[in-house]
């Protein structure tokens, strides 16, 4: 039984069977990853081929009308699987990364085709989860008297990536009917972002507030207050918890760029940045002297996509982003200030 569903599906005919097949397929691949080591060439190539075949079957499926950005992302997954099978640099890391991408795409397909009531329920769960994470961040800060970098969810940016988008979402859900609860939620989550110690989280929060504030004098005031607040926060953050990684990011980007030049077309394969770094390291200083720091992360999402999937992968991902933006603008999705705030915060993070 075919019926149109979802805000971004106006004029499109879809069914719920396609997303369900994508989720089942992702689960099958995840099961293969968990139960099989794939350290020998045969299973490794078979796993990569399974991911590529699954992506191809999902794209060719007639049960759902696939969009341009979804086909592009399926292509990136298939490309990454092929590169990982050929280069054989870090098979286990490649499987974990590709499965994460596939599951994320499956969730995207399901969520983007959800009905209005389903979306409200999912966003409510997201806001409640943000409350729980905020409580954990506050308790950690109270116990340590300082931001515990590497504490809850391992990385403060991970906690901020949930807390910051949840603020405009909470305002969207509660602002019209329960303004008091909306204000309390915004304040609690905002305080948790500050106490998490995430610099990117605070910048994203300031940008989200500026986007939500109406144009005119109040937006200028919000920009000024936000800039002063970010500077004061960064000074306080380094005073209570010095972080040498902040000063090494430029050196890391230069090193990752040199690594990219070794495989500019294909990339080093998904998840293989650490194993491919080799002698491409940066000079770091510890308590007893200098040493060569191993690069484990690119410290930049676009650069990570570039070095792991090459020019081909980054080009396809960029095309997917542009396709989604064009369709969202055409359908008027970006006219809503809270929606724009969510997108801006996620882009910064």
């Amino acid at each position: 039984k075919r019926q149109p569903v979802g805000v971004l599906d106006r004029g499109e005919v879809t069914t719920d069977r396609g997303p369900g097949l994508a989720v089942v397929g992702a689960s099958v691949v995840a099961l293969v990853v968990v139960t099989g080591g794939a350290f020998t060439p045969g299973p490794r190539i078979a796993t990569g081929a399974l991911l590529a075949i699954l992506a191809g079957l999902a794209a060719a499926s007639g049960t759902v009308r696939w969009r341009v950005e979804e086909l592009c992302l399926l292509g990136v997954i298939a490309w990454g699987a092929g590169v990982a099978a050929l280069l054989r640099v870090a098979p286990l890391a490649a499987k974990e990364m590709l499965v994460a991408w596939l599951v994320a795409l499956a969730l995207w397909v399901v969520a983007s085709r959800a009905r209005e009531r389903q979306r409200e329920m999912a966003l409510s769960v997201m806001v409640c989860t943000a409350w729980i994470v905020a409580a954990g961040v506050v308790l950690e800060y109270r116990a340590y008297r300082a931001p515990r970098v590497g504490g809850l969810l391992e990385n403060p940016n991970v906690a901020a990536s949930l807390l910051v988008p949840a603020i405009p979402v909470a305002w969207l859900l509660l602002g019209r009917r329960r303004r008091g609860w909306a204000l309390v939620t915004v304040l609690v989550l905002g305080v948790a972002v500050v106490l998490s110690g995430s610099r990117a989280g605070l910048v994203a929060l300031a940008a989200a507030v500026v986007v939500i504030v109406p144009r005119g004098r109040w937006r200028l005031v919000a920009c000024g207050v936000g800039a002063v607040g970010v500077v004061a926060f960064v000074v306080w953050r380094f005073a209570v918890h010095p972080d040498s990684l902040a000063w090494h990011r430029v050196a890391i980007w230069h090193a990752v760029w040199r690594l990219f030049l070794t495989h500019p077309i294909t990339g080093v394969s998904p998840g293989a940045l650490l194993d491919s770094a080799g002698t491409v390291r940066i000079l770091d200083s510890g308590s007893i002297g200098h040493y060569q720091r191993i690069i484990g992360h690119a410290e930049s999402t676009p650069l990570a996509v570039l070095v792991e999937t090459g020019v081909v992968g980054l080009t396809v991902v960029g095309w997917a982003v542009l396709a989604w933006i064009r369709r969202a603008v055409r359908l008027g999705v970006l006219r809503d200030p809270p929606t724009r705030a969510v997108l801006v915060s996620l882009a910064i993070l």
Side-chain angles (χ1 to χ4, degrees):
K1 182 180 178 181
R2 296 175 178 268
Q3 55 184 351
V5 296
V7 172
L8 295 183
D9 285 312
R10 299 171 188 172
E12 297 182 9
V13 178
T14 62
T15 70
D16 292 332
R17 220 174 4 156
L21 290 176
V23 173
V24 171
S27 302
V28 170
V29 176
L31 181 62
V32 172
V33 171
V34 172
T35 57
F39 287 104
T40 57
R44 182 164 54 235
I45 295 176
T47 303
L50 179 59
L51 281 169
I53 292 172
L54 178 63
L57 290 176
S61 173
T63 59
V64 63
R65 184 173 178 177
W66 292 90
R67 303 168 184 146
V68 175
E69 61 269 22
E70 295 167 351
L71 292 176
C72 289
L73 296 178
L74 283 170
V76 171
I77 294 173
W79 172 260
V83 170
L86 290 175
L87 297 183
R88 299 179 292 181
V89 177
L92 184 60
K95 290 191 303 174
E96 292 175 350
M97 185 69 72
L98 290 170
V99 169
W101 291 356
L102 193 60
V103 172
L105 177 59
L107 292 174
W108 169 273
V109 171
V110 173
S112 62
R113 288 161 174 77
R115 296 175 176 83
E116 186 67 26
R117 178 58 180 168
Q118 294 172 329
R119 278 195 298 273
E120 289 185 0
M121 294 175 61
L123 292 177
S124 299
V125 172
M126 173 183 173
V127 173
C128 293
T129 306
W131 265 92
I132 297 173
V133 173
V137 171
V138 172
L139 290 175
E140 280 188 333
Y141 182 86
R142 184 175 181 274
Y144 287 89
R145 302 296 181 184
R148 187 190 173 196
V149 178
L152 188 68
L153 299 180
E154 296 187 23
N155 189 307
N157 292 336
V158 177
S161 65
L162 172 63
L163 295 172
V164 178
I167 292 176
V169 168
W171 188 260
L172 178 66
L173 291 176
L174 304 173
R176 297 179 181 178
R177 295 172 294 180
R178 300 179 179 179
R179 191 171 295 271
W181 275 107
L183 289 174
V184 172
T185 301
V186 168
L187 290 175
V188 171
L189 299 186
V191 169
V193 172
V194 174
L195 298 183
S196 70
S198 171
R199 295 179 294 269
L202 189 68
V203 174
L205 177 60
V209 172
V210 170
V211 171
I212 290 179
V213 174
R215 294 181 179 179
R217 182 179 303 175
W218 286 110
R219 177 167 289 187
L220 294 176
V221 172
C223 290
V225 173
V228 173
V230 169
V231 173
F233 170 82
V234 171
V235 173
W236 169 77
R237 168 72 161 71
F238 281 117
V240 298
H241 196 293
D243 183 7
S244 61
L245 181 59
W247 313 113
H248 292 157
R249 277 193 169 88
V250 176
I252 291 175
W253 293 337
H254 281 290
V256 172
W257 178 258
R258 295 199 307 269
L259 183 61
F260 157 72
L261 293 178
T262 61
H263 298 83
I265 304 300
T266 61
V268 298
S269 87
L273 176 59
L274 178 62
D275 294 84
S276 302
T279 59
V280 181
R281 303 183 181 185
I282 64 173
L283 186 64
D284 200 353
S285 58
S287 58
I288 59 174
H290 297 280
Y291 65 95
Q292 294 293 326
R293 181 190 183 97
I294 300 175
I295 303 172
H297 303 279
E299 301 298 335
S300 168
T301 300
L303 189 57
V305 174
L306 178 63
V307 74
E308 292 188 353
T309 63
V311 174
V312 175
L314 184 64
T315 301
V316 177
V317 170
W319 187 265
V321 173
L322 291 177
W324 185 88
I325 292 176
R326 288 181 58 186
R327 188 162 54 84
V329 171
R330 186 177 70 252
L331 297 177
V333 176
L334 301 181
R335 296 173 185 172
D336 186 39
T339 301
R340 292 201 303 269
V342 170
L343 294 176
V344 168
S345 63
L346 288 177
I348 292 175
L349 288 165

